[in-house]
């Protein structure tokens, strides 16, 4: 009566808080996911969750199946790893670099889980802020690069991890805090605080300011997110960060977050991988772990399209 796909879909629904988002994460249409739940509920003769509630409210039957999912799905992942080891591919190298300062928030828990699951794999992490990581990946110096700026390079595949919204942080008394969304010309007289990377790697420039031919009054850099937030909160400037990185500061009232443009500025984070490494069992498991961890720990991310 019960199948693993049922447990996976219930687990996804709990993590996503909506049928639409759960369907995206499972790469299904909303109607297909609704049909799957209806079919299971008809078999059981029980409702599993209450429709049209946010966050999703599960019935006693749904909660019982979630307990089963929490028990079985980690065991399934562990068994799949063991089978991969039996088939070979247990040892290897995973040297990676990141082009996203805020990524440490979810990448470090991912790495911790990965080390426990694949102790034979040589793991190393470097910052991609002071060198060009994608050419290093193509040369074979690296095996994976976390980036939001895919560049077409022969032999490199970009695996989408998740989509997020970039927001502008301003101090709570700032004139822009009263606006429902920010337009490029609003930043013409502002000090923009960024990470110390080239402009062509910052979406606030390439996708927001430059298309409108707008230049901020001043640009200031900082390597640490917490320092950027202190500068913003004290009225020293404004900065653009992913919604998940801003959430812990805006939710506590330290700064105010505002949408960039009427429709928002959405970005996708990718794992860039050489084609020859894509099918390595430990690489596939790292990507799955990274997606699971990001959806479980980051506020406001969604499944990437494509």
């Amino acid at each position: 009566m019960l199948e693993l796909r049922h447990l996976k879909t219930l687990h996804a629904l709990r993590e996503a808080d909506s049928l639409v988002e759960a369907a995206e994460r499972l790469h299904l249409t909303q109607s297909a996911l609704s049909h799957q739940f209806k079919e299971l509920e008809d078999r059981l003769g029980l409702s599993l969750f209450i429709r049209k509630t946010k966050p999703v409210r599960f019935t006693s039957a749904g909660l019982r199946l979630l307990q089963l999912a929490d028990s079985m799905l980690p065991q399934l992942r562990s068994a799949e790893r063991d089978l991969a080891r039996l088939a070979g591919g247990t040892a290897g190298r995973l040297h990676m670099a990141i082009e996203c300062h805020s990524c440490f928030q979810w990448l470090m828990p991912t790495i911790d889980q990965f080390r426990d699951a694949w102790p034979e794999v040589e793991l190393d992490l470097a910052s991609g802020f002071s060198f060009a990581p994608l050419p290093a990946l193509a040369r074979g110096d690296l095996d994976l690069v976390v980036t939001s700026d895919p560049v077409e390079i022969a032999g490199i595949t970009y695996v989408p991890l998740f989509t997020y919204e970039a927001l502008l942080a301003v101090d709570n008394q700032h004139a822009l805090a009263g606006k429902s969304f920010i337009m490029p010309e609003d930043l013409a007289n502002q000090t923009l605080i960024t990470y110390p990377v080239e402009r062509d790697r910052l979406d606030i420039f390439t996708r927001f300011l430059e298309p409108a031919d707008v230049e901020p009054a001043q640009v200031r850099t900082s390597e640490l997110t917490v320092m950027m937030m202190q500068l913003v909160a004290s009225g020293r400037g404004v900065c653009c960060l992913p919604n998940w990185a801003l959430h812990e500061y805006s939710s506590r009232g330290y700064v105010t977050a505002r949408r960039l443009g009427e429709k928002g500025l959405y970005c996708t984070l990718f794992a860039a991988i050489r084609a020859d490494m894509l099918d390595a069992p430990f690489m596939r498991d790292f990507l799955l772990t990274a997606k699971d961890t990001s959806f479980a720990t980051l506020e406001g991310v969604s499944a990437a399209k494509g």
Side-chain angles (χ1 to χ4, degrees):
M1 182 178 293
L2 281 175
E3 301 175 25
L4 282 172
R5 64 189 177 99
H6 296 140
L7 300 181
K8 290 179 178 179
T9 52
L10 271 173
H11 181 269
L13 180 59
R14 181 182 63 188
E15 297 300 313
D17 268 352
S18 76
L19 276 173
V20 174
E21 179 67 18
E24 287 182 357
R25 295 188 185 187
L26 295 167
H27 303 290
L28 297 172
T29 64
Q30 184 181 350
S31 60
L33 187 60
S34 296
H35 178 76
Q36 187 179 126
F37 279 126
K38 180 68 166 56
E39 180 186 37
L40 178 59
E41 287 176 330
D42 288 345
R43 286 193 204 176
L44 297 172
L46 294 166
S47 294
L48 298 176
F49 62 96
I50 301 171
R51 265 67 174 176
K52 299 182 179 179
T53 59
K54 190 171 179 65
V56 177
R57 290 171 53 199
F58 291 92
T59 64
S60 296
L63 291 173
R64 179 62 186 90
L65 289 185
L66 281 170
Q67 287 181 338
L68 181 62
D70 289 338
S71 173
M72 288 194 64
L73 293 181
Q75 293 184 54
L76 175 65
R77 179 71 67 82
S78 178
E80 288 173 341
R81 289 169 178 150
D82 291 341
L83 291 172
R85 289 186 175 90
L86 290 173
T90 61
R93 188 194 78 169
L94 181 51
H95 287 190
M96 69 183 78
I98 60 173
E99 290 189 327
C100 167
H101 284 66
S102 306
C103 288
F104 284 105
Q105 186 171 343
W106 60 268
L107 191 57
M108 299 316 292
T110 298
I111 288 174
D112 288 342
Q113 290 185 47
F114 183 81
R115 280 199 180 103
D116 290 340
W118 299 90
E120 305 93 341
V121 174
E122 178 190 335
L123 186 63
D124 194 18
L125 174 64
S127 165
F129 312 138
S130 58
F131 70 101
L134 290 175
L137 175 67
R139 290 193 306 268
D141 298 337
L142 296 171
D143 307 303
L144 183 149
V145 174
V146 178
T147 180
S148 59
D149 302 303
V151 178
E152 188 172 344
I153 300 176
I156 302 299
T157 298
Y158 292 90
V159 179
L161 297 173
F162 55 82
T163 294
Y164 62 92
E165 183 177 5
L167 299 173
L168 189 76
V170 302
D171 75 84
N172 295 328
Q173 286 73 45
H174 199 290
L176 295 180
K179 301 193 66 171
S180 56
F181 57 88
I182 307 300
M183 296 301 292
E185 54 268 24
D186 292 327
L187 302 185
N189 62 347
Q190 299 297 320
T191 296
L192 181 62
I193 305 167
T194 74
Y195 293 116
V197 299
E198 297 87 351
R199 289 189 178 200
D200 59 8
R201 291 166 59 186
L202 293 169
D203 290 314
I204 185 68
F205 283 107
T206 61
R207 297 179 53 200
F208 190 69
L209 292 175
E210 290 176 0
D213 196 25
V214 172
E215 177 72 15
Q218 185 179 352
V219 177
R220 179 173 181 172
T221 63
S222 175
E223 292 190 356
L224 300 176
T225 303
V226 65
M227 182 59 69
M228 295 172 77
M229 291 296 94
Q230 288 178 356
L231 291 171
V232 170
S234 60
R236 306 290 183 84
V238 301
C239 75
C240 175
L241 286 176
N243 48 3
W244 84 77
L246 270 179
H247 177 71
E248 65 174 300
Y249 302 99
S250 60
S251 64
R252 296 177 183 177
Y254 298 152
V255 297
T256 297
R258 285 292 175 260
R259 171 164 284 185
L260 290 165
E262 187 173 3
K263 296 182 178 179
L265 179 61
Y266 289 89
C267 315
T268 297
L269 203 65
F270 297 87
I273 304 165
R274 288 196 313 280
D276 62 294
M277 291 287 292
L278 197 55
D279 290 329
F282 63 82
M283 182 66 79
R284 291 199 305 268
D285 187 65
F286 181 85
L287 294 174
L288 287 172
T289 303
K291 290 182 180 182
D292 287 348
T293 303
S294 60
F295 287 132
T297 60
L298 300 181
E299 180 73 22
V301 302
S302 59
K305 309 292 194 301

